[in-house]
Amino acid sequence: MRKSLLVVAICWIVTTTFSCRKEIEGLETKDDTGLVVKKKPLWQVANTTNPNKAGGNIGYSTVIGDGILDTYFYDPVERKDRMALLDIYTGRRKWEWNDVIRDFETVFIDRGSIHLYKEYLFYNYGPRNYGIDSRTGNTIWKQITGYSAFGNCSSLGSVYFTKGTPLTLNEQGILEDRVYKGDIRTGKEVEVVMPRYSRKNIRAAASWSRYIGLIADVQPVIEGRDTLLVVIYNETGPGRNEFQACTGLYNLTQKHWVYERERLKEDFPEAFNTSWLTLSGEKMYTILNNAVACSYWRTGKLIWFRPLPSFAAIPTPIEDKYLAVFSTDSRLFLLDAHTGQTFWEKRETLSTTSQVYYHSGIFYYLTATLNAVEIPSGKKLWSIKSPTNGIIDGHFWGFITGAPGKAGQKGRIFTRTGYHTYCFEAIR
């Protein structure tokens, strides 16, 4: 009898182990090289009411408590996008928001358009700003600004910083950006400073009859008791279609420029800077057309300058050792953050997104597939197609972000297509 029970127990263990292994292996499919090409999501939810029409204007997302910020498309009755907060464990919508100032205005979330302070969620769309309760989705305040701007706000505690040209000048076709400071809790704003543009080469450019100066980005830093603003901006240069990229450091507390008009690259004439500014420790990284510049933000002095084969985007510092950069000729580079030298490069066509995610030695990003690369080896671990990859906007695009695991569990990766938002178990 005892022997029979032992045999049954062994059979149960073997069967259960095999069954569990089969179930685990069924969560993902690998090719012959070990690359994961298919993976079952922990959850997926529709982000459009019309299964035949893709929706959602989002290039950036963030985790707020146990929620992930998303957008949801209503069609055809209301034809309105809505901001939504999804439960990170189930995908259930906790709340939706569409209390926009202009009827039928889209809800578009991009880098710099969302900032969180305690329960206050700041949202910017052009010259319209909103304060939203992140717990309930209710509007706290909303207002139209007195300047023309779009995105690229930054924040420090309860204060946000943005830039734009006063509407009185914009209506005359004049571009002359200055920096504004606002309170996330109330929306109250004031103008704080304008770069001292050279005004030597003012001319018509793009859609402006007088191009004086465009601020590409502003990032605040606390140094001792002072608040400092790192500002990068563009002016027209002396040559035809020539722009000059400059940086400055403004002491907001003492109200003076620490330095200003520091050229990012003196002998790089067509240095129009359309990228955001990325700060990492004592360094700042920015894009000059088809090149990456690394400088000291305290002085503006250049550390290294690295031309790339094509226009560059999304400089992402990793552990203060590496810098991941995409170029528009379909390449992903991993550079040395201290020298600009290349560790490796890969042929990758970046998807429509302004976001990448790094955690625990793994770099996640979107092409038409969901990708994961080990840092620093460059070994590719994921290249996952979406379940709706064969239809228009059915591939992965929009945002990608994640949340670390708790109590020894693996983290979570969040991304979306035009039809569904997904949650996957992270590699680590």
Side-chain angles (χ1 to χ4, degrees):
M1 180 66 177
R2 187 175 299 171
K3 185 175 181 181
S4 299
L5 289 174
L6 181 60
V7 170
V8 171
I10 292 173
C11 290
W12 180 83
I13 292 170
V14 171
T15 304
T16 304
T17 304
F18 176 76
S19 176
C20 290
R21 184 179 298 139
K22 185 177 181 181
E23 183 181 347
I24 292 170
E25 290 175 349
L27 294 177
E28 57 185 34
T29 302
K30 298 182 180 181
D31 66 11
D32 294 338
T33 67
L35 180 70
V36 176
V37 295
K38 187 176 180 181
K39 189 173 180 69
K40 183 179 179 180
L42 297 176
W43 54 256
Q44 70 180 70
V45 294
N47 51 40
T48 174
T49 59
N50 187 339
N52 299 311
K53 184 174 178 59
N57 293 293
I58 186 166
Y60 179 88
S61 184
T62 186
V63 173
I64 300 175
D66 60 354
I68 176 76
L69 207 60
D70 197 14
T71 57
Y72 192 77
F73 178 74
Y74 277 78
D75 179 75
V77 180
E78 295 186 54
R79 299 190 65 82
K80 284 186 177 181
D81 282 329
R82 298 192 180 191
M83 188 185 300
L85 188 71
L86 309 184
D87 186 292
I88 63 172
Y89 302 107
T90 65
R92 177 184 61 86
R93 285 195 293 278
K94 293 170 171 285
W95 52 253
E96 295 179 2
W97 178 91
N98 186 257
D99 189 15
V100 293
I101 292 173
R102 299 195 311 184
D103 287 342
F104 301 107
E105 177 180 303
T106 187
V107 174
F108 181 79
I109 302 175
D110 204 353
R111 179 195 182 268
S113 66
I114 288 288
H115 295 280
L116 183 70
Y117 174 72
K118 295 183 178 179
E119 71 271 23
Y120 300 93
L121 180 64
F122 170 79
Y123 168 58
N124 161 260
Y125 186 83
R128 291 167 293 283
N129 292 333
Y130 303 88
I132 303 167
D133 190 320
S134 65
R135 302 165 300 182
T136 64
N138 295 327
T139 301
I140 301 172
W141 58 265
K142 57 182 177 179
Q143 65 184 22
I144 300 176
T145 67
Y147 51 87
S148 176
F150 187 83
N152 269 18
C153 299
S154 56
S155 67
L156 188 65
S158 63
V159 178
Y160 67 88
F161 297 91
T162 187
K163 45 35 172 210
T165 294
L167 292 177
T168 52
L169 297 179
N170 189 266
E171 290 165 357
Q172 303 173 53
I174 299 173
L175 179 67
E176 188 184 65
D177 278 354
R178 59 277 322 269
V179 179
Y180 296 86
K181 178 183 76 170
D183 191 321
I184 291 176
R185 298 164 295 185
T186 64
K188 183 180 179 181
E189 283 187 346
V190 294
E191 180 184 330
V192 293
V193 70
M194 179 175 67
R196 287 195 272 248
Y197 301 116
S198 71
R199 304 178 186 274
K200 293 180 180 179
N201 306 298
I202 297 174
R203 63 171 183 270
S207 57
W208 295 279
S209 58
R210 296 185 67 205
Y211 189 113
I212 298 173
L214 179 148
I215 297 176
D217 204 355
V218 181
Q219 292 293 329
V221 181
I222 291 292
E223 185 99 304
R225 296 183 178 182
D226 292 349
T227 299
L228 309 176
L229 300 179
V230 186
V231 184
I232 54 172
Y233 56 95
N234 301 303
E235 302 174 339
T236 47
R240 179 180 173 83
N241 296 324
E242 183 180 310
F243 293 88
Q244 297 177 340
C246 303
T247 185
L249 182 66
Y250 183 71
N251 189 313
L252 181 62
T253 305
Q254 300 181 23
K255 294 182 170 49
H256 71 85
W257 288 96
V258 179
Y259 68 86
E260 57 180 326
R261 302 195 50 73
E262 185 73 29
R263 286 288 302 277
L264 284 168
K265 181 66 172 171
E266 194 74 37
D267 57 348
F268 197 71
E270 295 186 20
F272 190 87
N273 191 309
T274 57
S275 79
W276 53 78
L277 178 65
T278 303
L279 302 184
S280 179
E282 62 184 7
K283 300 181 182 65
M284 63 180 182
Y285 302 94
T286 189
I287 299 295
L288 304 177
N289 283 351
N290 62 322
V292 186
C294 174
S295 310
Y296 293 112
W297 60 261
R298 286 186 181 86
T299 64
K301 299 302 182 184
L302 187 69
I303 301 172
W304 56 260
F305 183 80
R306 171 65 192 278
L308 296 175
S310 184
F311 289 97
I314 315 182
T316 305
I318 298 173
E319 298 178 349
D320 196 33
K321 297 179 182 179
Y322 315 105
L323 189 72
V325 182
F326 287 91
S327 65
T328 52
D329 66 337
S330 304
R331 299 192 211 188
L332 167 62
F333 296 85
L334 187 70
L335 307 180
D336 187 312
H338 303 292
T339 66
Q341 297 300 307
T342 302
F343 283 105
W344 48 255
E345 67 176 84
K346 298 178 182 296
R347 281 284 177 185
E348 296 281 17
T349 303
L350 185 64
S351 182
T352 307
T353 181
S354 63
Q355 193 173 22
V356 292
Y357 178 70
Y358 173 81
H359 183 68
S360 296
I362 306 295
F363 183 64
Y364 301 88
Y365 59 96
L366 299 180
T367 57
T369 61
L370 170 58
N371 303 278
V373 169
E374 191 176 57
I375 300 296
S377 71
K379 180 181 179 182
K380 196 161 190 178
L381 306 176
W382 286 3
S383 181
I384 302 166
K385 292 183 179 180
S386 78
T388 55
N389 194 65
I391 61 177
I392 296 175
D393 287 331
H395 57 274
F396 288 122
W397 61 273
F399 68 78
I400 179 170
T401 189
K406 296 180 179 180
Q409 295 181 338
K410 292 184 178 181
R412 295 184 173 219
I413 301 298
F414 307 97
T415 186
R416 60 175 287 156
T417 67
Y419 303 92
H420 296 90
T421 300
Y422 296 87
C423 171
F424 293 95
E425 185 180 66
I427 293 172
R428 297 172 183 165

